Structure formats: C-alpha cells, structure tokens
Amino acid sequence: MSLKLHELKNDDDFKAVCEVEHEAYSNPFNGVWEITKGTSQEECCARQLSWHNNDPNSTWLYVTDEDTGDVIGGAQWFIYRTNPYAVEQPMRTAYWLPDGPMKQIGDQLFRDLRKDRPARMSKPHLLISYCFVHSAHRNRGAASLMLRWGTDKADELGLEAFVESTDIARRAYEKHGFYVIDHLNMDAHVENPSEEFMETRKKLGCPIHGWAMKRDIVSTK
C-alpha cells in the first residue's frame, strides 16, 4: 500500500487531519495534548486552523493511504527565515480553557515548554510543532515522509531545525539527523493546591519529560 504526502491547501481538508491528530495523541496518552485539545474536537480544529491561517510561517502536511484515500498522519512545520524572537513574543496560555485547575496547569506547562525557545532558536530556523500518525498506520513510513519534507527544506534554505520531542518519539527524530541538546521538564505548582488540582496534575502525567532536539545545517553544495 503506497502513501502520498500533501501540503494543506484547503481548510476543509483539515478536519480529517484533526481527527487523526486526536486519535494519535491519545494512543499513547499525551498530557500536553490533553491541554491543547480543549473542550471539543470541533473547537480544537477551528482554533488550530486559525493559528495556521494567521501565521505565514506555518505549513501543515498530511499523508494519505492511496488505496483508501484516508488521512493517516499529519505534521506542522514552521519556517522562520528571520529570527522570530527579535521582538519579544507573548507567552502562549491555555486561553481556550475555562478557569480552573486544567487551565492553571496548562498555562504552566506551556511556559515550561516554550520558555527557552528565544535562547535556543534565535536564528532563522525550522521548527516541528506537531508530527503524528494514526496508531493503526504506524511503521509504514508516514512520519518519515513528513519529516523528510522539512529536513529537505532546511537543507535547501541552509537552516537549522528544532523539535521538542516526547520520550517515545525521540528515536524517530534521531533517524532524521536530530540530536538532543537539553531536557524538557514540564510541571505545575500552586500554593495550597486543591484536591482537584492535584488529581488533574496526576491525570496529565506531571511532571512531564521531553527532549529539546536540534538538527544542524547540512550543506547541499
């Protein structure tokens, strides 16, 4: 069965990508995704599409099974041809969540995830924001298609590339030339936490560990 790589050109096509995203990040469980997905799949899809359409640096890719036409994976790459942190950027919060422990924890997890980006990524570069494959279609090469698109683009432009990886995904990125530059440690704390706060923190798997990874410039000359 052959696979085909696509760039997202039509907003209507994103719904199928988002459906796969929800399945993929639930198998296995991903605490940061639990925050990101919000209160409904429809809201999450609309929000992510809005983020994409309002950022000229964003490219969404997706892979289909050519026999069935089904979407089986997706990835978002950012291509920054200038330093995105030359002007200070506001820190993202989980603004889509109602006030409460989930939002409190989400705000802190996003802070921990992103706080070192200005120091690490202060040059033009590429960044992988999402890369996922439906659990029923893993180990078929879909992730490699989407990663290779970005690494080829990085080589074409002569740029570094970065990703913030889970423990599980680390080896896949290493196969495409990424290497670890630091640990990611994400957690949330408040004074006098409520029982609901502690239960939510535990449910999300905090503290959450990951890896900051980099791929060096590869000359194509």
Side-chain angles (χ1 to χ4, degrees):
M1 293 185 290
S2 58
L3 306 179
K4 186 174 181 179
L5 180 68
H6 311 257
E7 289 186 40
L8 183 70
K9 301 295 185 183
N10 187 330
D11 287 0
D12 291 340
D13 293 335
F14 191 65
K15 181 179 179 181
V17 177
C18 196
E19 288 175 354
V20 173
E21 182 179 33
H22 275 71
E23 192 283 335
Y25 282 132
S26 298
N27 294 285
F29 179 86
N30 183 307
V32 175
W33 173 251
E34 286 297 301
I35 300 292
T36 306
K37 73 179 186 181
T39 56
S40 75
Q41 186 169 312
E42 182 179 13
E43 182 278 331
C44 179
C45 183
R47 172 166 34 89
Q48 286 188 294
L49 193 56
S50 175
W51 289 345
H52 166 66
N53 286 332
N54 286 289
D55 190 334
N57 303 297
S58 171
T59 298
W60 267 98
L61 308 173
Y62 62 97
V63 174
T64 56
D65 182 316
E66 287 205 276
D67 290 339
T68 65
D70 292 341
V71 174
I72 65 168
Q76 185 185 30
W77 282 89
F78 287 97
I79 303 173
Y80 296 111
R81 289 176 169 82
T82 60
N83 175 12
Y85 302 105
V87 176
E88 186 175 355
Q89 301 295 317
M91 189 63 66
R92 174 169 288 174
T93 63
Y95 65 84
W96 52 89
L97 294 177
D99 289 338
M102 185 72 87
K103 184 179 186 306
Q104 285 180 298
I105 295 168
D107 289 347
Q108 293 187 47
L109 294 184
F110 284 128
R111 177 204 64 198
D112 287 349
L113 177 65
R114 294 166 173 263
K115 63 185 174 65
D116 293 320
R117 284 185 181 181
R120 291 188 185 119
M121 308 177 194
S122 59
K123 300 177 182 178
H125 65 276
L126 275 71
L127 172 67
I128 306 169
S129 184
Y130 300 97
C131 186
F132 52 86
V133 178
H134 192 287
S135 62
H137 294 278
R138 289 173 184 157
N139 300 311
R140 294 182 57 195
S144 289
L145 284 176
M146 297 183 288
L147 292 177
R148 194 175 302 118
W149 181 95
T151 57
D152 286 350
K153 183 69 68 174
D155 294 346
E156 174 190 329
L157 297 173
L159 299 180
E160 301 169 334
F162 294 87
V163 65
E164 289 137 348
S165 174
T166 62
D167 290 335
I168 293 171
R170 172 179 166 177
R171 290 189 66 186
Y173 293 121
E174 288 176 334
K175 290 177 181 178
H176 289 269
F178 289 85
Y179 60 91
V180 170
I181 56 174
D182 205 350
H183 290 267
L184 291 174
N185 295 295
M186 296 166 278
D187 206 349
H189 300 281
V190 294
E191 289 187 20
N192 303 314
S194 65
E195 184 176 341
E196 183 184 2
F197 182 95
M198 295 305 294
E199 288 178 353
T200 303
R201 178 178 172 274
K202 182 179 180 180
K203 173 188 172 185
L204 293 172
C206 296
I208 298 171
H209 181 264
W211 303 97
M213 303 184 73
K214 178 182 178 182
R215 182 179 183 272
D216 292 329
I217 296 172
V218 176
S219 174
T220 58
K221 295 181 180 179

Short mmCIF file of all heavy atoms in Angstrom, two decimals, residues 149-183:
data_model
loop_
_atom_site.label_atom_id
_atom_site.label_comp_id
_atom_site.label_asym_id
_atom_site.label_seq_id
_atom_site.Cartn_x
_atom_site.Cartn_y
_atom_site.Cartn_z
N TRP A 149 10.31 15.97 4.35
CA TRP A 149 9.91 17.22 3.70
C TRP A 149 10.57 18.40 4.39
O TRP A 149 11.13 19.30 3.74
CB TRP A 149 8.40 17.37 3.75
CG TRP A 149 7.89 18.62 3.09
CD1 TRP A 149 7.43 18.73 1.80
CD2 TRP A 149 7.77 19.93 3.66
NE1 TRP A 149 7.03 20.03 1.54
CE2 TRP A 149 7.24 20.80 2.67
CE3 TRP A 149 8.07 20.47 4.91
CZ2 TRP A 149 7.00 22.15 2.90
CZ3 TRP A 149 7.84 21.83 5.14
CH2 TRP A 149 7.31 22.65 4.14
N GLY A 150 10.53 18.41 5.71
CA GLY A 150 11.09 19.53 6.46
C GLY A 150 12.60 19.56 6.46
O GLY A 150 13.21 20.63 6.34
N THR A 151 13.24 18.40 6.60
CA THR A 151 14.70 18.39 6.60
C THR A 151 15.24 18.75 5.21
O THR A 151 16.27 19.43 5.10
CB THR A 151 15.26 17.05 7.07
OG1 THR A 151 14.75 15.98 6.26
CG2 THR A 151 14.86 16.79 8.52
N ASP A 152 14.56 18.33 4.16
CA ASP A 152 14.96 18.75 2.81
C ASP A 152 14.82 20.27 2.65
O ASP A 152 15.68 20.92 2.04
CB ASP A 152 14.12 18.05 1.75
CG ASP A 152 14.49 16.59 1.56
OD1 ASP A 152 15.53 16.16 2.11
OD2 ASP A 152 13.75 15.87 0.86
N LYS A 153 13.73 20.82 3.20
CA LYS A 153 13.53 22.27 3.13
C LYS A 153 14.61 22.99 3.93
O LYS A 153 15.14 24.03 3.47
CB LYS A 153 12.15 22.62 3.67
CG LYS A 153 11.79 24.10 3.57
CD LYS A 153 11.59 24.55 2.14
CE LYS A 153 10.36 23.93 1.52
NZ LYS A 153 10.10 24.50 0.17
N ALA A 154 14.97 22.46 5.09
CA ALA A 154 16.04 23.07 5.89
C ALA A 154 17.36 23.05 5.14
O ALA A 154 18.10 24.05 5.13
CB ALA A 154 16.16 22.32 7.22
N ASP A 155 17.65 21.94 4.46
CA ASP A 155 18.89 21.85 3.70
C ASP A 155 18.88 22.81 2.51
O ASP A 155 19.89 23.45 2.19
CB ASP A 155 19.10 20.42 3.20
CG ASP A 155 19.33 19.44 4.35
OD1 ASP A 155 19.59 19.90 5.47
OD2 ASP A 155 19.22 18.22 4.10
N GLU A 156 17.73 22.92 1.86
CA GLU A 156 17.59 23.84 0.73
C GLU A 156 17.84 25.28 1.15
O GLU A 156 18.49 26.05 0.42
CB GLU A 156 16.18 23.70 0.15
CG GLU A 156 15.83 24.68 -0.95
CD GLU A 156 14.35 24.64 -1.28
OE1 GLU A 156 13.73 23.57 -1.16
OE2 GLU A 156 13.81 25.70 -1.66
N LEU A 157 17.35 25.64 2.34
CA LEU A 157 17.46 27.02 2.82
C LEU A 157 18.73 27.25 3.64
O LEU A 157 19.05 28.39 3.98
CB LEU A 157 16.24 27.37 3.67
CG LEU A 157 14.89 27.36 2.94
CD1 LEU A 157 13.75 27.56 3.94
CD2 LEU A 157 14.85 28.45 1.87
N GLY A 158 19.44 26.17 3.97
CA GLY A 158 20.64 26.31 4.79
C GLY A 158 20.34 26.71 6.21
O GLY A 158 21.03 27.55 6.80
N LEU A 159 19.31 26.07 6.82
CA LEU A 159 18.87 26.45 8.15
C LEU A 159 18.94 25.28 9.12
O LEU A 159 18.83 24.11 8.73
CB LEU A 159 17.43 26.98 8.11
CG LEU A 159 17.17 28.22 7.27
CD1 LEU A 159 15.69 28.60 7.33
CD2 LEU A 159 18.04 29.38 7.74
N GLU A 160 19.06 25.60 10.40
CA GLU A 160 18.92 24.62 11.46
C GLU A 160 17.45 24.24 11.61
O GLU A 160 16.56 24.95 11.14
CB GLU A 160 19.41 25.21 12.79
CG GLU A 160 20.85 25.66 12.79
CD GLU A 160 21.21 26.48 14.02
OE1 GLU A 160 20.31 27.10 14.62
OE2 GLU A 160 22.40 26.50 14.37
N ALA A 161 17.21 23.12 12.28
CA ALA A 161 15.83 22.71 12.58
C ALA A 161 15.76 22.23 14.02
O ALA A 161 16.74 21.72 14.58
CB ALA A 161 15.38 21.59 11.63
N PHE A 162 14.59 22.41 14.62
CA PHE A 162 14.39 22.06 16.02
C PHE A 162 13.09 21.30 16.20
O PHE A 162 12.16 21.42 15.40
CB PHE A 162 14.34 23.33 16.89
CG PHE A 162 15.62 24.10 16.95
CD1 PHE A 162 15.92 25.07 16.00
CD2 PHE A 162 16.55 23.87 17.97
CE1 PHE A 162 17.10 25.79 16.05
CE2 PHE A 162 17.74 24.57 18.02
CZ PHE A 162 18.01 25.53 17.07
N VAL A 163 13.03 20.54 17.28
CA VAL A 163 11.79 19.88 17.70
C VAL A 163 11.85 19.68 19.21
O VAL A 163 12.93 19.51 19.79
CB VAL A 163 11.59 18.53 16.98
CG1 VAL A 163 12.66 17.52 17.37
CG2 VAL A 163 10.20 17.96 17.26
N GLU A 164 10.69 19.74 19.84
CA GLU A 164 10.55 19.40 21.25
C GLU A 164 9.82 18.06 21.30
O GLU A 164 8.64 17.96 20.99
CB GLU A 164 9.79 20.50 21.99
CG GLU A 164 10.64 21.75 22.13
CD GLU A 164 9.90 23.04 21.86
OE1 GLU A 164 8.76 23.00 21.35
OE2 GLU A 164 10.47 24.11 22.15
N SER A 165 10.56 17.02 21.63
CA SER A 165 10.10 15.64 21.45
C SER A 165 9.69 14.98 22.75
O SER A 165 10.26 15.25 23.81
CB SER A 165 11.22 14.81 20.80
OG SER A 165 10.88 13.44 20.73
N THR A 166 8.74 14.06 22.65
CA THR A 166 8.45 13.16 23.74
C THR A 166 9.53 12.10 23.82
O THR A 166 10.33 11.92 22.89
CB THR A 166 7.09 12.47 23.54
OG1 THR A 166 7.15 11.69 22.34
CG2 THR A 166 5.95 13.48 23.43
N ASP A 167 9.54 11.37 24.93
CA ASP A 167 10.49 10.26 25.06
C ASP A 167 10.26 9.23 23.95
O ASP A 167 11.21 8.70 23.37
CB ASP A 167 10.32 9.58 26.43
CG ASP A 167 10.79 10.45 27.59
OD1 ASP A 167 11.65 11.31 27.35
OD2 ASP A 167 10.30 10.26 28.70
N ILE A 168 9.00 8.95 23.65
CA ILE A 168 8.67 7.91 22.68
C ILE A 168 9.12 8.28 21.27
O ILE A 168 9.58 7.43 20.50
CB ILE A 168 7.15 7.63 22.70
CG1 ILE A 168 6.76 6.99 24.03
CG2 ILE A 168 6.72 6.75 21.54
CD1 ILE A 168 5.27 6.87 24.24
N ALA A 169 8.99 9.56 20.90
CA ALA A 169 9.28 9.98 19.52
C ALA A 169 10.76 10.27 19.27
O ALA A 169 11.17 10.43 18.12
CB ALA A 169 8.47 11.22 19.17
N ARG A 170 11.55 10.30 20.32
CA ARG A 170 12.95 10.73 20.18
C ARG A 170 13.70 9.97 19.11
O ARG A 170 14.41 10.56 18.27
CB ARG A 170 13.65 10.58 21.54
CG ARG A 170 15.15 10.82 21.48
CD ARG A 170 15.80 10.68 22.85
NE ARG A 170 17.24 10.57 22.72
CZ ARG A 170 18.09 10.49 23.76
NH1 ARG A 170 17.60 10.52 25.00
NH2 ARG A 170 19.37 10.39 23.55
N ARG A 171 13.57 8.65 19.07
CA ARG A 171 14.35 7.86 18.11
C ARG A 171 13.97 8.17 16.66
O ARG A 171 14.82 8.17 15.77
CB ARG A 171 14.17 6.37 18.39
CG ARG A 171 14.84 5.91 19.68
CD ARG A 171 14.82 4.40 19.82
NE ARG A 171 15.62 3.76 18.78
CZ ARG A 171 15.69 2.44 18.60
NH1 ARG A 171 14.96 1.64 19.37
NH2 ARG A 171 16.43 1.94 17.64
N ALA A 172 12.69 8.47 16.44
CA ALA A 172 12.26 8.81 15.08
C ALA A 172 12.96 10.07 14.60
O ALA A 172 13.39 10.16 13.44
CB ALA A 172 10.75 8.98 15.03
N TYR A 173 13.08 11.05 15.48
CA TYR A 173 13.76 12.29 15.09
C TYR A 173 15.26 12.06 14.92
O TYR A 173 15.88 12.64 14.01
CB TYR A 173 13.49 13.38 16.12
CG TYR A 173 12.04 13.80 16.16
CD1 TYR A 173 11.28 13.69 17.32
CD2 TYR A 173 11.41 14.31 15.03
CE1 TYR A 173 9.95 14.07 17.35
CE2 TYR A 173 10.08 14.69 15.04
CZ TYR A 173 9.36 14.57 16.21
OH TYR A 173 8.05 14.94 16.23
N GLU A 174 15.83 11.23 15.77
CA GLU A 174 17.27 10.95 15.63
C GLU A 174 17.58 10.33 14.28
O GLU A 174 18.64 10.60 13.69
CB GLU A 174 17.72 10.03 16.77
CG GLU A 174 17.77 10.73 18.12
CD GLU A 174 18.13 9.81 19.26
OE1 GLU A 174 17.88 8.59 19.15
OE2 GLU A 174 18.66 10.31 20.28
N LYS A 175 16.68 9.51 13.75
CA LYS A 175 16.90 8.90 12.44
C LYS A 175 16.95 9.94 11.33
O LYS A 175 17.46 9.66 10.23
CB LYS A 175 15.78 7.89 12.15
CG LYS A 175 15.85 6.63 13.00
CD LYS A 175 14.68 5.70 12.71
CE LYS A 175 14.73 4.46 13.58
NZ LYS A 175 13.56 3.57 13.34
N HIS A 176 16.42 11.13 11.60
CA HIS A 176 16.42 12.20 10.59
C HIS A 176 17.41 13.31 10.94
O HIS A 176 17.28 14.43 10.44
CB HIS A 176 15.00 12.74 10.42
CG HIS A 176 14.09 11.76 9.73
ND1 HIS A 176 13.93 11.73 8.37
CD2 HIS A 176 13.35 10.73 10.22
CE1 HIS A 176 13.11 10.75 8.04
NE2 HIS A 176 12.75 10.13 9.14
N GLY A 177 18.40 12.97 11.74
CA GLY A 177 19.51 13.89 11.97
C GLY A 177 19.39 14.80 13.17
O GLY A 177 20.29 15.62 13.42
N PHE A 178 18.33 14.67 13.95
CA PHE A 178 18.19 15.49 15.16
C PHE A 178 18.98 14.85 16.31
O PHE A 178 19.11 13.63 16.38
CB PHE A 178 16.72 15.61 15.56
CG PHE A 178 15.90 16.46 14.64
CD1 PHE A 178 15.34 15.92 13.49
CD2 PHE A 178 15.69 17.81 14.91
CE1 PHE A 178 14.58 16.70 12.63
CE2 PHE A 178 14.93 18.59 14.06
CZ PHE A 178 14.37 18.05 12.92
N TYR A 179 19.46 15.68 17.20
CA TYR A 179 20.16 15.18 18.39
C TYR A 179 19.73 16.02 19.60
O TYR A 179 19.29 17.17 19.47
CB TYR A 179 21.67 15.22 18.20
CG TYR A 179 22.24 16.60 17.94
CD1 TYR A 179 22.68 17.41 18.99
CD2 TYR A 179 22.33 17.11 16.65
CE1 TYR A 179 23.20 18.69 18.76
CE2 TYR A 179 22.83 18.38 16.40
CZ TYR A 179 23.27 19.16 17.47
OH TYR A 179 23.75 20.42 17.22
N VAL A 180 19.87 15.43 20.77
CA VAL A 180 19.41 16.08 22.00
C VAL A 180 20.34 17.22 22.38
O VAL A 180 21.56 17.06 22.39
CB VAL A 180 19.33 15.05 23.14
CG1 VAL A 180 19.10 15.75 24.49
CG2 VAL A 180 18.21 14.04 22.88
N ILE A 181 19.74 18.36 22.71
CA ILE A 181 20.52 19.49 23.22
C ILE A 181 20.16 19.83 24.66
O ILE A 181 20.90 20.54 25.33
CB ILE A 181 20.39 20.75 22.33
CG1 ILE A 181 18.93 21.16 22.17
CG2 ILE A 181 21.07 20.51 20.98
CD1 ILE A 181 18.76 22.48 21.41
N ASP A 182 19.01 19.31 25.13
CA ASP A 182 18.62 19.61 26.52
C ASP A 182 17.42 18.75 26.91
O ASP A 182 16.71 18.21 26.04
CB ASP A 182 18.26 21.08 26.68
CG ASP A 182 18.45 21.59 28.11
OD1 ASP A 182 18.69 20.75 29.01
OD2 ASP A 182 18.36 22.82 28.32
N HIS A 183 17.20 18.64 28.19
CA HIS A 183 15.99 18.03 28.72
C HIS A 183 14.86 19.06 28.72
O HIS A 183 15.10 20.27 28.83
CB HIS A 183 16.20 17.56 30.17
CG HIS A 183 17.11 16.40 30.30
ND1 HIS A 183 16.66 15.10 30.33
CD2 HIS A 183 18.47 16.33 30.43
CE1 HIS A 183 17.69 14.28 30.47
NE2 HIS A 183 18.79 15.00 30.53
#
